[in-house]
Amino acid sequence: MIQKTILFCFFCLGAFAQKGDYPIQPVAFTQVHFKDNFWTPKMQVNANVTIPYTLNQCKITGRIDNFRKAAKQIPADKSTSFTFDDTDLYKVIEGASYSLQTQKNPQLETYLDSLITIIGSAQEADGYLYTFRTMPIQKPHEWLGAKRWEKEEDLSHELYNAGHLFESAVAHYQATGKKNLLNIAIRNADLLVKTFGWGKEERFPGHQIVETGLTKLYRVTGKKAYLDLAKFFLDLRGKEGHLNQEYSQSHKKVVDQHTAVGHAVRATYMYTGMADVAALTGDKAYLSAIDDIWHDVVDKKLYITGGIGATGNGEAFGDDYDLPNMSAYAETCAAIANVYWNQRMFLLHGDAQYVDVLERTLYNGLLSGISLSGDKFFYPNPLASMGQHQRRAWWDCACCVSNMTRFLPSVPGYTYAQNQKNLYVNLFVGGTATIQLPNTAVTITQQTAYPWEGKNDITIAPAKTAQFALRIRIPGWALSKPSSGDLYKDETPESPIQLLVNGKVFSYKMEKGYAVVDRVWKKGDKVSFTLPMDVRKILANSNVKADKSKFALQRGPMVYCLEGNDNTSASVMSLVVDKTAPVTASYQQDLLNGVMTLNMKGFTTQRQVGSEELVKKTTDIKAIPYYSWANRGATEMTVWIPYEETAARPTPAPTIASKSKVSGSVSNLLMLKALNDQYEVENSNDKSANFLHWWPKKNTTEYLQYDFDQTYTVSSSSIYWLDDSPWGGCRIPASYKIYYQKDGEWIPVKVINQSPIAKDQLNTVQFEPVTTKAIKMEVQLPTDNAAGVIEWAVK
Ligand SMILES: [Zn+2]
C-alpha cells in the first residue's frame, strides 16, 4: 500500500514537472539504492547512531517538551534557549524519513508518528505553529515580539520554523506515504497564505527557508498560492520601510543582488529559493541575479573544501578572496545549503560545473561536519588548526547537528537526474537505481570503488530496447580544472578520458561537462571508464593571501590535510614540501575506517635561540582526507601546505614563557595554552590563533600566572590583548598589574616604563629586574565587558 502511494506521488511530481518546473528533474532518493563501501557505511552510522542520538537530544534538551508545553500537556515553566529550537525536531524527522528508505525500521516509524501527534497537538486552531508563543510562559523570549510575526524580519524565526516544517513534512510524505505531518504543514501554510501578501501582512522572513519549503509543498499539493507566497516573500526584501541589512540579504531587492553578502546560511537558502521560484515561474530576473551571485561565490569566496561563509563575524561571507584558514567559519549548515543551491543551479542549466561544486562540498567541507562515530559535530569547519578545534556533541544552537542528521540520508537523491531522453550520472557511487524515461524504464547499476578509485562500470538495463542519451559527468578536477573560474588552478597536464561501451572505445562528444553516450540501449549494455586518480597540487589565486606559496593536495574529489597524529613533527604547520615532490597514494584499511593516504617527503622548520637561521630536517609526511580529521584528539592540522619556507610556521624557539607552567582564574587548558604558544596574530580581533578570555564575566579581578622551569632574572612583560568588538564581548582591560614571587609571597614589580593599554599591539611593561621562579598578572576587567589575552611573553 505504501509502495503504491510512493509511486503515485512520484508520478504526480513528474506531471507537475511538465507544467513548468526545473527542465531537469532529479531522480528521487526513493529510487536510488547505494551499495558501496563509502556512503553506505556512513548512512548506516547515520541511521544507527546519529538519528537516535539527535532524537534523544531533542528529548533531553526539552525541545520535544516545548511542543508538549504549547499543547498544555505539561506545565510551561520555561522554554529552551532559541526561538528556532522547534526546527531541530522537524529536521531530525526529515532525516529519519529519508533513512527509512534505506533501512526499514517499524519502531522508528511508530516513534515518528508519536512525535507528529505531539507536534499536531501544539498547533493552534487556525494553523499557527510556534511553540515559543503558544506555550503559556511567564516571561516570553525577547526575540518573540508582542504579537505574531511582529519581529519576523528580525529574530523571531516564525517563518523559519514553518519552512523547516514544510521541508520535513514533504520528505516524510514522500518516504512513508503518510499524510499526518503533511496535513499539519498544510494547515500552517494555509494560515500563511491567509495572513501574508501584498496589502496584507507585509513582512519577509528574517531567516530564509520558508521559500523552498513552500515550493516543495506546492509541488506536492499543486496549490499555486504556496508558490505565489514564496515569490512574495522574496520580492518584499529590500523594499523601503522594512529592515534593510546585508546580514539577512534585505539590503536590496533580490533581483538587484549580484554578489553574495551577509549570513551565509540565510543567503544560500535564499538563492536556493530563488532558483525554485525561477524554475516554477520562468522569472528571468531571478535567474540572472543568482547566476551572477554563483560566479561571485565560485570565483572569489569558495574554500577549496567547498566551504562558504569565511567569517564568524555575523557567520557571513567575507570580502573577495578573503579566505583565512584557521579562522575559517565555513559553517556545516552553509555547506549543506551550498549543496542544495548547486543542485538547483544544475537542474536549471544542465551544466556539470554546478555538480563539481556540489561534489567538492559534499566530500570535503560538508562531510567534515560529522565525526566518524556519528555523534560529534563541527559548527565551523576550519582549514587549519593548532588543536583548538574539536567536534562537539551538542550546542545550544544545534542547527548544524540537526541539519547533518537530515542531509546525510538524502545523498542518494543527488546521484542521477533526467530530462526527456537524457539520463544524467552526476555522482559516482556503487549501487542501483530505477528510472522512468519517456520511452522505457531503466535500471542503472554502478560498480565502483569511488572516491578512492576512478574505475567505474555502469550497467544499463532498459525494460525494453530504447534510444536515450547517457550523460556521464566528467568532473572538472579530472580535467585539471578544480574551479570553473580562476580561484584555483591545477598544473597537472590534462589526460584524455577513454570511454568503452561493451568493451569497445566509444567516441563521445562533451556537452556542458558531460560525456554524451547517445545510442540504442539493450539490457546488459556496459559503459566503462576510469577517471584519472593522479595526486594534484592545487594552487590558489594570488589574491588569496592566506594560501600564498602553498598548495593543497587533491586526489579524485578528496581534498587532503596534514594532521599531527600522522607525522613525526606534530606541528604540521612547520612542514614544507617541494612543489615537485613525488606523492604516492596508499589505501590504509585500519586508519579512520579506511582511507586513501598520500605520502611524500618534506622538511620540518624550527627556530633557534640567538639566530635567525632555521633548523631544517628531512621527514616523511602523510596526508589524510580532510573530512576525516579531528577524529583522534586535538592536534595541529593544515590543508594548505607551504612549498616555500617563508609560508611555513617554524616551530618557535623555546622562551621563558613557553617553558612555564600556566595557570590562572580560567580552567580551560586550551585557553591557558594559548598564552605561550607564540602564535603571531594580525590584530586584537584576529581569532585565528588560540586565545584566553573571561567572557561572560565583567568588572571582576582575574589573574594569570607563569611558574618558570627554573629561576630567571626578568625585567619585562609583553601582553597582546584580545578585543573582539563589535560582535564579541571582550575589550581591553581597565588595568593590569605584574607581580613576582618572593619567599612564597606576591610582590608588585617596580615599573620603569609602561605602554598605555591598547589593542592591536604588544603592551609592554619594563620593570626593575627581579630574580624569581614565578610571575603573576592581575587583570581588572572593564565595567561592561570581559577581557582576553592572545599572548603573554616575559623577558
Ligand atoms: Zn549550523
Side-chain angles (χ1 to χ4, degrees):
M1 183 64 210
I2 286 171
Q3 201 56 39
K4 258 188 192 165
T5 325
I6 290 166
L7 281 177
F8 170 75
C9 165
F10 186 62
F11 289 121
C12 111
L13 287 180
F16 277 116
Q18 286 165 15
K19 275 192 215 154
D21 201 335
Y22 286 104
I24 302 172
Q25 286 291 305
V27 173
F29 67 93
T30 48
Q31 306 300 114
V32 184
H33 304 283
F34 284 176
K35 196 176 168 198
D36 76 324
N37 290 324
F38 189 82
W39 286 108
T40 308
K42 292 188 193 319
M43 287 165 63
Q44 278 164 355
V45 169
N46 179 274
N48 298 334
V49 179
T50 316
I51 289 171
Y53 171 79
T54 312
L55 277 169
N56 190 49
Q57 285 297 116
C58 283
K59 185 175 168 186
I60 63 176
T61 58
R63 280 164 168 75
I64 296 172
D65 279 349
N66 281 346
F67 287 91
R68 299 178 67 214
K69 287 170 188 170
K72 313 204 174 48
Q73 291 167 0
I74 55 172
D77 45 353
K78 62 179 172 68
S79 60
T80 52
S81 301
F82 293 107
T83 53
F84 47 78
D85 285 343
D86 292 355
T87 64
D88 293 319
L89 190 60
Y90 300 150
K91 281 189 268 181
V92 65
I93 293 175
E94 183 176 340
S97 303
Y98 289 129
S99 86
L100 287 173
Q101 284 304 303
T102 12
Q103 206 167 312
K104 281 212 179 327
N105 187 339
Q107 215 183 339
L108 176 64
E109 211 175 320
T110 310
Y111 184 56
L112 294 189
D113 284 338
S114 72
L115 290 175
I116 292 166
T117 304
I118 295 174
I119 292 170
S121 62
Q123 187 166 35
E124 295 188 20
D126 64 355
Y128 187 75
L129 179 50
Y130 179 72
T131 64
F132 271 61
R133 189 184 305 282
T134 305
M135 68 173 82
I137 200 165
Q138 284 286 324
K139 191 174 172 287
H141 196 284
E142 56 178 359
W143 290 357
L144 229 58
K147 289 187 303 197
R148 284 181 184 183
W149 331 112
E150 193 180 85
K151 289 196 176 176
E152 176 52 48
E153 292 183 1
D154 194 9
L155 286 170
S156 76
H157 289 84
E158 284 153 286
L159 293 172
Y160 175 76
N161 286 10
H164 272 299
L165 169 67
F166 303 163
E167 297 234 325
S168 177
V170 171
H172 181 255
Y173 169 62
Q174 286 177 328
T176 64
K178 288 182 189 168
K179 287 190 171 178
N180 44 352
L181 190 56
L182 186 66
N183 286 336
I184 294 171
I186 288 173
R187 275 199 296 277
N188 186 250
D190 287 344
L191 174 70
L192 299 189
V193 167
K194 214 168 99 184
T195 309
F196 291 93
W198 301 113
K200 296 193 269 183
E201 190 83 59
E202 292 187 3
R203 291 181 204 275
F204 59 75
H207 193 317
Q208 299 87 328
I209 198 154
V210 74
E211 302 83 353
T212 50
L214 282 165
T215 57
K216 283 184 181 179
L217 216 48
Y218 160 63
R219 288 196 185 93
V220 167
T221 61
K223 196 165 174 184
K224 189 164 170 292
Y226 299 155
L227 173 62
D228 296 341
L229 185 61
K231 190 167 187 316
F232 161 78
F233 284 140
L234 287 165
D235 291 339
L236 190 63
R237 302 188 101 78
K239 290 254 185 210
E240 269 181 49
H242 294 266
L243 192 64
N244 298 121
Q245 52 180 9
E246 285 193 348
Y247 175 74
S248 60
Q249 299 76 38
S250 56
H251 59 303
K252 284 180 184 173
K253 288 188 192 168
V254 296
V255 293
D256 295 333
Q257 298 189 26
H258 300 282
T259 57
V261 294
H263 189 268
V265 181
R266 282 172 163 80
T268 315
Y269 282 167
M270 182 175 92
Y271 310 147
T272 308
M274 287 170 72
D276 277 356
V277 174
L280 291 160
T281 63
D283 193 308
K284 295 237 163 43
Y286 274 27
L287 257 189
S288 135
I290 51 175
D291 281 347
D292 287 350
I293 296 170
W294 187 84
H295 279 287
D296 180 56
V297 172
V298 171
D299 296 349
K300 294 168 192 159
K301 295 170 182 169
L302 183 75
Y303 280 104
I304 190 70
T305 53
I308 52 170
T311 172
N313 293 338
E315 307 186 313
F317 283 104
D319 293 335
D320 293 354
Y321 304 108
D322 191 9
L323 294 165
N325 290 312
M326 204 180 306
S327 65
Y329 203 67
E331 184 180 340
T332 299
C333 284
I336 291 171
N338 205 21
V339 166
Y340 292 151
W341 181 32
N342 276 284
Q343 165 79 344
R344 268 42 169 227
M345 295 302 279
F346 156 73
L347 297 175
L348 281 168
H349 296 296
D351 196 312
Q353 63 178 343
Y354 304 106
V355 188
D356 285 352
V357 178
L358 185 158
E359 184 189 57
R360 176 174 295 286
T361 310
L362 180 63
Y363 280 96
N364 301 291
L366 186 157
L367 201 49
S368 59
I370 187 161
S371 67
L372 300 178
S373 60
D375 57 359
K376 300 274 189 315
F377 306 84
F378 267 137
Y379 198 123
N381 292 270
L383 283 79
S385 179
M386 300 166 66
Q388 73 270 44
H389 307 93
Q390 285 299 298
R391 291 192 187 79
R392 282 170 55 177
W394 193 250
W395 290 263
D396 244 13
C397 168
C399 56
C400 294
V401 177
S402 52
N403 231 353
M404 185 58 91
T405 310
R406 80 161 169 153
F407 175 80
L408 258 186
S410 77
V411 174
Y414 298 91
T415 317
Y416 302 101
Q418 64 184 105
N419 164 25
Q420 304 296 331
K421 291 185 190 173
N422 294 289
L423 172 49
Y424 291 86
V425 181
N426 276 337
L427 297 182
F428 307 115
V429 186
T432 302
T434 46
I435 298 149
Q436 182 65 49
L437 293 178
N439 49 352
T440 180
V442 185
T443 300
I444 180 169
T445 305
Q446 290 193 52
Q447 255 187 306
T448 178
Y450 199 83
W452 310 125
E453 301 297 342
K455 188 168 166 23
N456 200 338
D457 291 318
I458 300 180
T459 312
I460 305 290
K464 60 173 201 261
T465 301
Q467 178 163 11
F468 56 88
L470 192 66
R471 291 175 177 261
I472 302 167
R473 182 175 68 96
I474 304 299
W477 60 256
L479 304 170
S480 304
K481 278 197 71 179
S483 62
S484 65
D486 64 355
L487 186 53
Y488 298 108
K489 69 173 178 192
D490 173 7
E491 290 166 349
T492 314
E494 187 186 328
S495 51
I497 295 163
Q498 203 177 54
L499 214 136
L500 306 177
V501 176
N502 297 328
K504 287 197 194 111
V505 175
F506 185 88
S507 163
Y508 62 86
K509 57 175 181 178
M510 283 291 287
E511 270 180 28
K512 294 184 173 184
Y514 289 89
V516 184
V517 189
D518 194 352
R519 64 191 290 280
V520 176
W521 299 91
K522 59 179 194 319
K523 206 169 184 177
D525 281 344
K526 194 159 119 182
V527 182
S528 308
F529 57 92
T530 302
L531 296 174
M533 284 286 163
D534 307 69
V535 178
R536 296 160 188 279
K537 294 188 180 119
I538 312 290
L539 302 171
N541 186 300
S542 59
N543 290 316
V544 184
K545 290 207 181 64
D547 303 338
K548 190 174 181 297
S549 304
K550 296 174 186 174
F551 61 77
L553 290 167
Q554 183 170 346
R555 183 181 180 277
M558 292 297 187
V559 173
Y560 280 73
C561 70
L562 306 180
E563 201 179 16
N565 311 60
D566 306 297
N567 290 285
T568 328
S569 170
S571 32
V572 295
M573 278 183 276
S574 77
L575 297 172
V576 179
V577 178
D578 194 89
K579 230 202 249 186
T580 59
V583 184
T584 55
S586 110
Y587 187 76
Q588 268 188 264
Q589 181 65 50
D590 55 345
L591 184 67
L592 299 162
N593 292 353
V595 288
M596 190 69 76
T597 63
L598 301 183
N599 303 279
M600 67 218 93
K601 289 238 183 255
F603 61 89
T604 61
T605 59
Q606 189 168 11
R607 291 201 191 284
Q608 49 186 329
V609 182
S611 165
E612 282 300 297
E613 205 166 326
L614 294 176
V615 182
K616 298 181 228 173
K617 277 190 202 134
T618 304
T619 184
D620 289 318
I621 296 173
K622 181 189 280 188
I624 56 163
Y626 170 75
Y627 80 86
S628 66
W629 85 281
N631 278 291
R632 296 169 293 175
T635 56
E636 269 195 20
M637 181 279 286
T638 185
V639 168
W640 290 93
I641 304 168
Y643 58 79
E644 280 177 7
E645 60 190 55
T646 49
R649 181 185 176 262
T651 310
T655 62
I656 297 174
S658 78
K659 290 186 286 182
S660 294
K661 180 178 163 280
V662 195
S663 57
S665 56
V666 162
S667 56
N668 185 317
L669 289 179
L670 212 57
M671 281 201 207
L672 291 170
K673 244 172 88 175
L675 292 188
N676 62 351
D677 62 13
Q678 301 183 67
Y679 194 91
E680 285 166 19
V681 290
E682 301 216 330
N683 54 56
S684 285
N685 203 357
D686 180 354
K687 289 183 168 177
S688 57
N690 270 337
F691 53 87
L692 175 147
H693 66 79
W694 286 282
W695 188 84
K697 287 185 182 171
K698 43 181 121 167
N699 203 20
T700 54
T701 307
E702 307 293 337
Y703 83 97
L704 296 168
Q705 181 178 331
Y706 277 154
D707 285 286
F708 301 156
D709 65 327
Q710 61 173 75
T711 304
Y712 290 102
T713 303
V714 292
S715 59
S716 93
S717 147
S718 296
I719 302 156
Y720 208 103
W721 301 107
L722 174 78
D723 184 319
D724 56 1
S725 53
W727 296 91
C730 292
R731 304 290 182 274
I732 52 170
S735 63
Y736 71 99
K737 232 170 152 176
I738 308 290
Y739 297 81
Y740 71 102
Q741 201 174 45
K742 193 186 170 191
D743 304 329
E745 296 213 8
W746 290 108
I747 302 173
V749 296
K750 288 191 182 128
V751 175
I752 299 170
N753 191 10
Q754 178 163 9
S755 60
I757 302 179
K759 61 179 184 178
D760 304 334
Q761 52 184 272
L762 270 179
N763 289 208
T764 301
V765 185
Q766 263 142 4
F767 46 85
E768 283 183 10
V770 293
T771 302
T772 180
K773 273 207 81 175
I775 198 158
K776 186 169 99 164
M777 154 165 63
E778 210 173 71
V779 184
Q780 177 60 39
L781 304 191
T783 324
D784 298 322
N785 281 291
V789 181
I790 296 173
E791 193 74 29
W792 181 25
V794 281
K795 267 190 210 156

